[in-house]
């Protein structure tokens, strides 16, 4: 049986990678998905491919969220997936000493502000029914420090903590609205392509990038999407304010045997 039969779902950053995989998994479970993305062309193309609706959405824009609320005033599941690392346009310093304030703010505008606005929309869209699931995509980087990507790590830590505040707020209202976060590590998405190189070096580069991961491989977008289905469905009805890591054992510690 479908676990999300008829559920009205919003997924941000759904044009590619983890967001697209979540949309596909939700549709397979019988959900009605509204795929959103700041990239109008790729978002519309992904929606056509998956057979769902599309709406352009810049998660930084309060006006865009208000437009979404007009189009879909009631939602059962909201996935705040859209995010950036800060390295999309160019490689620039993101360490605590040399990062520019402008670059710090740009990352937080998408990751932190975007998640705040998404959670606020979700709470309002779920209030009438008093039920729903909010799923925020954080990162392994939100659980540990990342010296070379300080803004990204801080923003993902903020998502982790805000998820707990949202969960507790909803519970205080007496609603069965749940909010949880997912913390992926090295998931093989398009953002990794510049680091993987051409075919000749690809396998070696991939192995080097996951050398510290106990399972010695990248995760897949579909593996993250499976967790999102769990959190969206009644299978996780008693889970709120929680966090699920999907990191190949990275945060468990070292897999090395004593010498």
């Amino acid at each position: 049986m479908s676990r999300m039969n008829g559920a009205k779902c919003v997924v941000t950053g759904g044009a590619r990678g983890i967001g697209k995989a979540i949309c596909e998994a939700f549709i397979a479970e019988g959900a009605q998905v509204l795929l959103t993305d700041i990239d109008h062309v790729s978002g519309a193309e992904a929606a056509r491919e998956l057979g769902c609706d599309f709406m352009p959405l810049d998660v930084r824009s309060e006006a865009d969220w208000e437009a979404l609320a007009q189009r879909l005033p009631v939602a059962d599941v909201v996935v705040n997936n859209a995010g950036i690392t800060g390295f999309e346009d160019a490689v620039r310093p993101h360490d605590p000493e040399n990062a520019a304030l402008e670059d710090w703010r740009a990352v937080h505008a998408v990751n932190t502000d975007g998640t705040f606005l998404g959670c606020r929309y979700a709470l309002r869209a779920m209030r009438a029914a008093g039920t729903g699931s909010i799923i925020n995509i954080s990162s392994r980087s939100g659980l540990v420090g990342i010296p070379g990507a300080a803004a990204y790590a801080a923003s993902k830590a903020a998502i982790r903590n805000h998820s707990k505040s949202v969960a507790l707020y909803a519970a205080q209202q007496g609603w069965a609205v749940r909010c949880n976060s997912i913390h992926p590590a090295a998931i093989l998405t398009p953002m990794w392509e510049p680091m993987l190189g051409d075919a000749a070096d690809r396998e070696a580069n991939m192995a080097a990038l996951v050398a510290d991961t106990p399972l010695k491989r990248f995760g897949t977008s579909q593996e993250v999407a499976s967790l999102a289905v769990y959190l969206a469905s009644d299978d996780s009805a008693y889970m709120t304010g929680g966090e699920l890591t999907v990191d190949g054992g990275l945060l468990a510690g070292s897999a090395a045997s004593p010498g």
Side-chain angles (χ1 to χ4, degrees), residues 170-185:
Q172 283 180 338
Q173 311 312 305
W175 304 335
V177 172
R178 302 176 295 107
C179 184
N180 297 285
S181 58
I182 298 177
H183 299 256

Side-chain angles (χ1 to χ4, degrees), residues 2-88:
S2 298
R3 287 187 284 174
M4 298 177 62
N5 192 32
K8 295 181 175 65
C9 306
V10 175
V11 180
T12 69
R16 60 183 62 82
I18 290 172
K20 184 178 180 183
I22 290 173
C23 290
E24 185 173 16
F26 281 5
I27 292 167
E29 291 291 343
Q32 300 175 26
V33 172
L34 178 59
L35 185 158
T36 73
D37 205 283
I38 193 173
D39 186 336
H40 296 208
V41 175
S42 297
E45 181 180 347
R48 283 194 298 271
E49 177 188 335
L50 298 177
C52 64
D53 292 332
F54 169 70
M55 180 175 177
L57 177 71
D58 180 346
V59 296
R60 301 168 296 183
S61 168
E62 194 166 14
D64 277 15
W65 281 106
E66 290 171 354
L68 173 59
Q70 290 294 317
R71 175 169 174 173
L72 192 69
V74 176
D76 300 301
V77 180
V78 174
V79 181
N80 292 302
N81 165 73
I84 63 172
T85 62
F87 299 103
E88 285 77 11

Side-chain angles (χ1 to χ4, degrees), residues 106-125:
V107 171
H108 280 275
V110 176
N111 298 358
T112 311
D113 297 352
T115 299
F116 158 72
L117 290 170
C119 289
R120 191 178 70 177
Y121 159 77
L123 290 169
R124 294 173 178 177

